[in-house]
Amino acid sequence: MNRNSKTFKIALGGICLALALIFLFGATIVPGIELTLFAISSLFTAVMILETGTVHGKHTASADIAQNSNTDSSYAASADDKHDRTPNSPQSDGSGGSQNAAAQNTHSGIGGAASVYAGTSVLGLILIPNKLALIPYIAMFGYYPILKFYIEKINSGVLQLTLKVIYFAAVISVGLLAFKSVIARSISLPNHPTALLIVLGTALMILYDYILSFLISRYIRKFKTGDASTFKLS
């Protein structure tokens, strides 16, 4: 199937959405492994970036990152393979044409990813009984692969980590404030220092980022080695 076709993108988006819902449902009912299941459910947002961000079958979203970064971007892991496997792809004409194509490619991949995130969130609210358990996915996990994609374009591993820590700390701070002021108003909770909770929560989210990077890496090794046609929906 032609990866640039709308049929492929729609079919892949439907599969990613369905699989994300399955793992998201599992995260709401299986205690103890919620973080792993949230990470797996968010992986399918990353899959849409990897699979739909192509121009003429060659210049992928991951290749775009690799050309702009020498860091260990998890998305960039498939760049070299994708760059070499399609010899008939257009070359740069020296006037910025290939850079414009890369920008169009990136937007295409992000659009598909955003659609999967939005669709999963809406259908999750309709189909999954435990609505409160969906908050982590909707508020952070679901769209984080898109943010990760842009952060890992930065040509500095230290800056990447710094931005991720700031983001996670901010999200956790807002989450704690909302939880204490709205949800837990009538619940008696242990009086742990807020700063400690933010630090522990941020460390947990860094672990999540590592798990997501590992899953992206495994996906690339499993489905994106060799010729591009080895990844099929049928």
Side-chain angles (χ1 to χ4, degrees):
M1 183 180 292
N2 182 1
R3 288 165 175 260
N4 293 324
S5 69
K6 289 184 178 180
T7 301
F8 173 83
K9 294 177 181 180
I10 292 172
L12 180 63
I15 291 174
C16 287
L17 191 153
L19 291 173
L21 279 174
I22 291 172
F23 285 102
L24 189 57
F25 178 72
T28 65
I29 63 173
V30 181
I33 58 171
E34 295 93 338
L35 183 63
T36 299
L37 292 177
F38 277 130
I40 296 175
S41 65
S42 65
L43 170 66
F44 300 105
T45 307
V47 168
M48 289 301 293
I49 297 176
L50 291 169
E51 294 295 345
T52 65
T54 59
V55 172
H56 302 299
K58 176 179 179 181
H59 197 120
T60 62
S62 51
D64 183 51
I65 297 177
Q67 290 179 355
N68 291 280
S69 174
N70 58 10
T71 59
D72 296 329
S73 167
S74 49
Y75 285 105
S78 67
D80 292 337
D81 287 339
K82 295 287 287 183
H83 183 81
D84 294 336
R85 67 177 67 142
T86 310
N88 294 326
S89 300
Q91 302 296 323
S92 172
D93 58 4
S95 62
S98 64
Q99 293 180 357
N100 292 334
Q104 294 173 357
N105 154 47
T106 298
H107 289 310
S108 174
I110 295 301
S115 297
V116 168
Y117 161 66
T120 302
S121 300
V122 172
L123 288 178
L125 289 172
I126 296 173
L127 300 175
I128 297 176
N130 189 352
K131 313 300 183 187
L132 287 178
L134 295 175
I135 293 177
Y137 178 86
I138 296 173
M140 189 193 71
F141 290 101
Y143 66 82
Y144 177 71
I146 299 174
L147 181 63
K148 179 181 177 70
F149 171 80
Y150 284 111
I151 289 178
E152 292 184 353
K153 278 188 170 186
I154 299 172
N155 188 23
S156 169
V158 174
L159 183 54
Q160 287 181 20
L161 180 60
T162 301
L163 290 175
K164 289 176 182 179
V165 168
I166 292 173
Y167 166 74
F168 288 138
V171 170
I172 291 170
S173 299
V174 172
L176 284 174
L177 179 62
F179 182 80
K180 289 183 177 181
S181 61
V182 179
I183 300 176
R185 183 177 299 175
S186 60
I187 302 176
S188 178
L189 296 173
N191 190 24
H192 295 305
T194 301
L196 177 61
L197 294 176
I198 294 174
V199 170
L200 293 177
T202 300
L204 193 62
M205 291 302 98
I206 293 298
L207 175 61
Y208 155 70
D209 179 71
Y210 174 82
I211 294 173
L212 180 59
S213 295
F214 173 78
L215 292 174
I216 292 173
S217 176
R218 294 298 298 174
Y219 174 85
I220 289 170
R221 291 192 180 100
K222 181 71 175 179
F223 296 112
K224 296 181 75 63
T225 56
D227 187 81
S229 63
T230 58
F231 183 82
K232 297 180 180 179
L233 297 174
S234 58

